[in-house]
Each structure stands twice: as C-alpha cells, then as structure tokens.
C-alpha cells in the first residue's frame, strides 16, 4: 500500500532500513525537511503523520504504508502561505531557517494535541478536556525543537499570534 505524501501517493522503499527522513529527502527530493542530529534530539526533521508530529529521523518509512504524511512542502504554497508561515516572517521567527520547517510542523501538531486535550509534563490538571494555550505549555511542548540561531522569542511570538485566544 503506498504512503500519501502531501496528497500524492508514493511507494514505500523496498529497503526496510530507510528512515522516513531519508525517504522524503533522498527518494522524493523533498528537501524542506531537514536533517540535524539524525538521532531524535533536535526536531529539525519533524513531519506530520495523520496530523501527529513525528521525528522522521527515528521512523522507518515502511512503518507508514497507507498513512498520510505532510512535510513543509504540503503546508501553504508560494503566494498563499499558511498563517503560521506568515507569522514566522512577521515576527522574525527564524534566522538561517534550518530549523523552521520542523518548528512549523511541530507547532501544527502541538495545536492539535491541545485540541485533543493531550497533557504535557507541565499540565496541572491531567483530566482537563481543555488544556489551554499557556506560556509554559507552549514552551514545554515546543522544547523538542531546537534553534541554534536562538530565534525562540520570534518563534513563540509567531505561534502565539496565530493560535493564542483561538482556543488553540
Ligand atoms: S534530525 Fe531528527 S531529531 Fe534531529
Ligand atoms: S533559524 Fe537557524 S537554527 Fe533556527
């Protein structure tokens, strides 16, 4: 069964050792997803699988047969940016931009987690249906996405601008 990547079918690789990250970059030539540490520590390779964020360097492509994968190329388009992409520009949420595709995919996945009431390490009420979009929640949930340029203030401002006050 093929994988669906950004709305298009793609046959999964026959080599079961190929990571999802190498599959999208080297096989499909979708270079937006970045390889940073290649060991699950930086978040640069974050993509969405059926709306949930996944570190693609730690995932094998064959695991995702029949699943819907979204990379940064599937979010917004030239001339019609996703509101979060525009907010990253407006708030200087990047410098070199290497971490940015992962930051944006991660933030979109994070917003869905909040919508579903998934608790984090800092959530006080683990039974709350509405976790809320707070200062600590945002920073904790985005803490897996490193930015070596230190654009954190802009990243937080961009995400807050788009999602705070909208019930996430
Ligand atoms: S490249 Fe996957 S977490 Fe760093
Ligand atoms: S903008 Fe350079 S690493 Fe984040």
């Amino acid at each position: 069964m093929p994988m669906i990547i950004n709305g298009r079918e793609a046959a999964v690789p026959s080599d079961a050792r190929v990571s999802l990250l190498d599959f999208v970059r080297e096989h499909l030539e979708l270079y937006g997803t970045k390889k940073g540490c290649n060991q699950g520590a930086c978040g640069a390779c974050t993509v969405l699988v059926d709306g949930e964020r996944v570190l693609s360097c730690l995932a094998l492509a064959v695991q995702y047969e029949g699943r819907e994968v979204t990379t940064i190329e599937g979010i917004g388009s030239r001339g019609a940016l996703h509101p979060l992409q525009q907010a990253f520009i407006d708030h200087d949420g990047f410098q070199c931009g290497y971490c940015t595709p992962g930051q944006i995919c991660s933030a979109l996945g994070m917003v869905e987690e909040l919508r579903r009431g998934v608790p984090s390490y800092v959530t006080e009420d683990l039974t709350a249906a509405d976790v809320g979009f707070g200062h600590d929640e945002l920073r904790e949930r985005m803490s897996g996405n490193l930015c070596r340029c230190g654009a954190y203030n802009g990243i937080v401002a961009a995400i807050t601008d788009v999602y705070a006050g909208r019930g996430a």
Side-chain angles (χ1 to χ4, degrees):
M1 188 184 300
M3 186 188 299
I4 311 295
I5 300 221
N6 301 332
R8 292 187 174 178
E9 290 189 358
V12 296
S14 55
D15 186 343
R17 298 168 299 178
V18 176
S19 71
L20 182 58
L21 174 59
D22 285 343
F23 181 57
V24 299
R25 284 182 58 86
E26 309 304 334
H27 294 222
L28 303 180
E29 299 182 349
L30 295 170
Y31 298 117
T33 305
K34 298 295 187 282
K35 181 180 284 188
C37 63
N38 205 30
Q39 57 181 11
C42 74
C45 65
T46 307
V47 300
L48 297 168
V49 177
D50 295 332
E52 294 188 11
R53 48 187 174 169
V54 165
L55 295 175
S56 62
C57 70
L58 295 185
L60 296 172
V62 292
Q63 291 175 267
Y64 297 97
E65 266 189 335
R67 308 284 296 277
E68 286 204 28
V69 176
T70 303
T71 68
I72 193 67
E73 289 88 350
I75 298 167
S77 59
R78 189 181 294 271
L81 295 179
H82 185 285
L84 187 56
Q85 292 172 316
Q86 185 60 53
F88 266 67
I89 295 171
D90 295 342
H91 292 278
D92 288 334
F94 57 89
Q95 288 182 37
C96 76
Y98 199 83
C99 72
T100 313
Q103 300 280 1
I104 288 175
C105 286
S106 190
L108 294 174
M110 174 195 70
V111 168
E112 285 307 310
E113 289 166 17
L114 286 168
R115 282 201 176 106
R116 297 200 313 274
V118 178
S120 76
Y121 180 69
V122 299
T123 304
E124 290 186 7
D125 181 359
L126 299 182
T127 63
D130 180 3
V131 174
F133 191 94
H135 175 280
D136 292 346
E137 285 288 354
L138 194 161
R139 284 160 179 77
E140 165 62 21
R141 288 171 190 268
M142 291 299 294
S143 63
N145 288 82
L146 306 185
C147 174
R148 294 298 299 269
C149 296
Y152 294 112
N153 286 344
I155 292 168
V156 168
I159 298 170
T160 301
D161 185 19
V162 178
Y163 294 108
R166 296 188 187 184

